[in-house]
Amino acid sequence: MARSKEFDPEAALQQALELFWERGYEATSMADLVERLGVARASIYATFGGKRELYLKALERYLEQRNVVGSLSQPGPALPAIRALLDSYVAEILADDLRRGCMVVNTAVEFASRDATVLAKVATSWAGLETALAGTLVRARAQGEIPAGKDPYALARFLLVLLQGLRVLGRADPDPRRLRDAVEQAMTAVQI
């Protein structure tokens, strides 16, 4: 007869997410996971699989928790919604005392091109953000908020790259002036 789990898998997954987000995949050992989760190694393997499978589940949890694009689909003026999104990234970066950055960006940098499954999750996340930005910029153009000659899809790609760059700078050197100036310049570029 199988024994019941003596720990909460959801709480353990959240703890794993926090640890991977703080340290990254390579710098997190199974011993670190055992210590942080307070769960035996065999229980981690039985519940989540190996370290890689646990990382993938933690990344999925992170993506579920971090829906940053919902405000972009609200009716009304589009550019203030984009500005609010950019400002929220800066505020989050400046409030991150641990300098964890964004787990998606961290994953992209750490895994580079060596794990197609992991990178597919990163690409899907970025594609979702780009699509949401493009839809908002199409609306902005239709509402006369940006010039008719502007390509909303190219602008969306530009903003996607800007946002990921903000995340990298925030992890390495979160200079508020640098981050805020980048947002100001981006908003100017979108509008002229």
Side-chain angles (χ1 to χ4, degrees), residues 71-120:
S71 62
L72 294 177
S73 62
Q74 300 300 315
L79 288 185
I82 289 175
R83 177 58 187 250
L85 178 68
L86 298 178
D87 287 343
S88 74
Y89 267 60
V90 170
E92 185 177 302
I93 289 164
L94 295 177
D96 183 4
D97 293 332
L98 298 175
R99 289 192 185 177
R100 294 179 299 182
C102 169
M103 191 170 176
V104 176
V105 172
N106 298 347
T107 298
V109 171
E110 185 171 10
F111 281 84
S113 62
R114 59 190 173 98
D115 190 317
T117 302
V118 173
L119 292 177

Side-chain angles (χ1 to χ4, degrees), residues 68-69 71-74 76-89 129-130 132-141 145-146 152 155-156 158-160 162-163 183 186-187 190-191:
V68 298
V69 298
S71 62
L72 294 177
S73 62
Q74 300 300 315
L79 288 185
I82 289 175
R83 177 58 187 250
L85 178 68
L86 298 178
D87 287 343
S88 74
Y89 267 60
L129 177 54
E130 182 180 325
L133 286 165
T136 305
L137 289 160
V138 165
R139 193 173 83 238
R141 189 173 66 180
E145 295 176 71
I146 63 174
L155 288 172
F158 164 69
L159 291 174
L160 173 69
L162 170 80
L163 289 168
V183 168
M187 289 306 297
V190 166
Q191 295 175 64

